[in-house]
Amino acid sequence: LERVKTRAQAHRASLREYQKTYRQEHLASILKRKRTYYQEHRAAILERNKTYRQAHPEAGRESRRAYQNAHATMFQLYKAKRNARKRGLPDTLTIDQWQAIQVAYKHRCAYCGSKPKKLTQDHVIPLAQGGGTVPDNIVPACASCNSAKRDRPPVVIPAIRLLI
């Protein structure tokens, strides 16, 4: 038994490499096998998942929270676009455009110039006044400047306004 454990530890790296290569070479058949298994056992899998979620509600909350924190930019953009759509305004801003805007401002607030840990998207012309979630209407702002501006146009319009 001890010999087997020693051998397994010695060959663990080569075994992992073999498994990785095997998965790459046989990916289509592996995925087909998984799909077939899921289709044949769908009801049991869904029931098992439901039972687990009911028994461990906190695990689900933690998982959702971790995902939202890891994808905060995507959720922030989604909320801004949804608010624009609800008002019937254009919502063409993409994540790539938002990242380009942040780079253009050197990850600084458009109003005070500070470099906070988290920048928020500020509508130069607020949604309440008809400004949409479009690249030329969005600037990065720190949370305090964004909340102080509220739903009014800025006193000083930021110098850099991207026309992407």
Side-chain angles (χ1 to χ4, degrees):
L1 181 65
E2 196 60 38
R3 253 181 48 206
V4 173
K5 284 183 182 179
T6 307
R7 185 178 186 286
Q9 288 174 350
H11 297 287
R12 183 170 288 151
S14 63
L15 181 60
R16 283 189 182 149
E17 188 59 37
Y18 170 77
Q19 290 171 338
K20 185 177 177 182
T21 306
Y22 180 88
R23 281 189 208 108
Q24 289 172 346
E25 292 173 359
H26 298 90
L27 185 62
S29 64
I30 291 170
L31 292 177
K32 183 179 178 185
R33 216 172 28 244
K34 284 183 174 185
R35 257 191 314 276
T36 304
Y37 180 87
Y38 180 79
Q39 289 168 353
E40 292 172 358
H41 301 89
R42 185 172 189 270
I45 291 169
L46 292 177
E47 185 60 35
R48 186 174 59 232
N49 290 346
K50 181 179 177 182
T51 305
Y52 180 85
R53 281 193 310 274
Q54 289 173 345
H56 303 91
E58 187 57 38
R61 281 192 288 273
E62 288 176 20
S63 175
R64 284 188 296 280
R65 224 177 280 128
Y67 182 83
Q68 287 182 350
N69 288 339
H71 299 89
T73 303
M74 180 181 73
F75 280 93
Q76 181 185 21
L77 182 61
Y78 171 76
K79 287 177 185 177
K81 291 177 73 160
R82 185 171 187 275
N83 287 336
R85 276 195 313 274
K86 284 186 345 187
R87 295 172 185 261
L89 300 170
D91 62 336
T92 60
L93 185 69
T94 66
I95 290 178
D96 292 335
Q97 290 170 329
W98 169 236
Q99 290 171 344
I101 290 168
Q102 292 180 71
V103 169
Y105 280 90
K106 298 178 182 162
H107 299 280
R108 295 185 177 278
C109 175
Y111 302 112
C112 68
S114 68
K115 196 169 185 176
K117 289 181 180 177
K118 182 181 177 188
L119 286 168
T120 60
Q121 297 172 6
D122 180 50
H123 294 80
V124 177
I125 300 168
L127 292 174
Q129 296 180 1
T133 305
V134 292
D136 61 337
N137 191 38
I138 299 289
V139 294
C142 62
S144 61
C145 288
N146 198 351
S147 62
K149 182 178 157 283
R150 299 182 54 103
D151 63 349
R152 299 181 296 266
V155 176
V156 178
I157 294 181
I160 307 168
R161 296 269 304 277
L162 288 186
L163 300 172
I164 299 175

